[in-house]
Amino acid sequence: IRTPMNAIVGFSQLLLRHEKNPDKVKKYTEKIVISSQHLLNLINDVLDMSKIESGKTTLNLSDVNIADIVQEIDNIIRPQAKQKKQTLIISSDNVEYGWIKTDKLRLNQILLNILSNAVKYTPEYGMITFEIRGMNHTGSQFAKYKFKISDNGIGMSDGYIKEIFKPFTREDNNVTDNVQGTGLGMAIAKQYVDLMGGKIEVSSRKGIGSTFTVEIPLLIAEHVRTEKEEKLRKDMDLHGLHVLLAEDNDLNAEIAAALLEEQ
């Protein structure tokens, strides 16, 4: 926590000293944003892990579409892969039930944690594949899904594979030293997969790449959203509306008000 926090404080002080230099203002602001995002991710991971270990984590189920989940993940991961000139291939097979009832946030987090690592630990021009496959049904209410994520990145040693799902563990090498991470992503993914009644497995070879396989039984949704509800969501317009914003922190209120004004 201290490392990104020191960067935020340091660059903020430099920003105040060089406020009349547009180039430096832009440069320092960008570094503050990057450090802030890293700090927020770290805090979220620590809080998630703390909640998991205290046994207070519960699933918030809602009807979601597998296609929507995959699209949201694609929207986040593809720009990261593109930045490293990597090829990202997403495919699906035998997905009979698109609508499921699950904890969308947690399922997203499981898959994003794995995919983010694939991008981080795969060199430029590498390849990452994300496969979604429907499996045999486990009863009238559940459909089983397999999510397989492979890369041709740096891979892991046999010794580290045994430790990968333990909190605060990262393989010590020249590549990981230069990549931001908390060592909590895989531990959190494993805990959430367990909570959902699934399983997660990993195979990897040094210098060849890694493959993560997640199998989860998911409830088949009782109903789907109507076209009318979808249309209402797409046509929503904030122009002319009056919004009551309740916020006890002045800085948060200022940010929220500015974002609302932009809409």
Side-chain angles (χ1 to χ4, degrees), residues 162-175:
K162 296 171 184 174
E163 306 288 319
I164 191 171
F165 296 120
K166 292 181 181 178
F168 299 109
T169 55
R170 299 183 77 201
E171 187 160 24
D172 190 15
N173 59 46
N174 292 336
V175 177

Side-chain angles (χ1 to χ4, degrees), residues 46-87:
V46 171
L47 292 176
D48 283 348
M49 202 66 218
S50 177
K51 196 172 182 182
I52 288 166
E53 289 178 341
S54 69
K56 293 180 179 176
T57 305
T58 55
L59 297 175
N60 300 310
L61 303 179
S62 62
D63 287 356
V64 295
N65 194 302
I66 284 281
D68 290 342
I69 290 175
V70 172
Q71 185 60 57
E72 287 179 23
I73 290 170
D74 182 80
N75 290 342
I76 294 169
I77 295 297
R78 194 166 293 278
Q80 295 177 18
K82 190 175 180 181
Q83 200 169 16
K84 293 184 72 175
K85 303 175 182 68
Q86 296 166 342
T87 301

Side-chain angles (χ1 to χ4, degrees), residues 65-134:
N65 194 302
I66 284 281
D68 290 342
I69 290 175
V70 172
Q71 185 60 57
E72 287 179 23
I73 290 170
D74 182 80
N75 290 342
I76 294 169
I77 295 297
R78 194 166 293 278
Q80 295 177 18
K82 190 175 180 181
Q83 200 169 16
K84 293 184 72 175
K85 303 175 182 68
Q86 296 166 342
T87 301
L88 173 64
I89 298 172
I90 298 178
S91 63
S92 63
D93 183 41
N94 198 36
V95 179
E96 185 177 348
Y97 295 97
W99 282 93
I100 55 171
K101 186 184 284 289
T102 188
D103 189 321
K104 182 183 177 184
L105 185 65
R106 301 267 161 66
L107 182 56
N108 270 3
Q109 195 169 351
I110 291 165
L111 300 173
L112 282 170
N113 282 1
I114 300 170
L115 280 160
S116 294
N117 278 355
V119 172
K120 284 195 288 187
Y121 299 114
T122 298
E124 286 192 344
Y125 301 102
M127 178 176 284
I128 295 155
T129 60
F130 176 29
E131 303 171 46
I132 305 97
R133 177 183 289 272

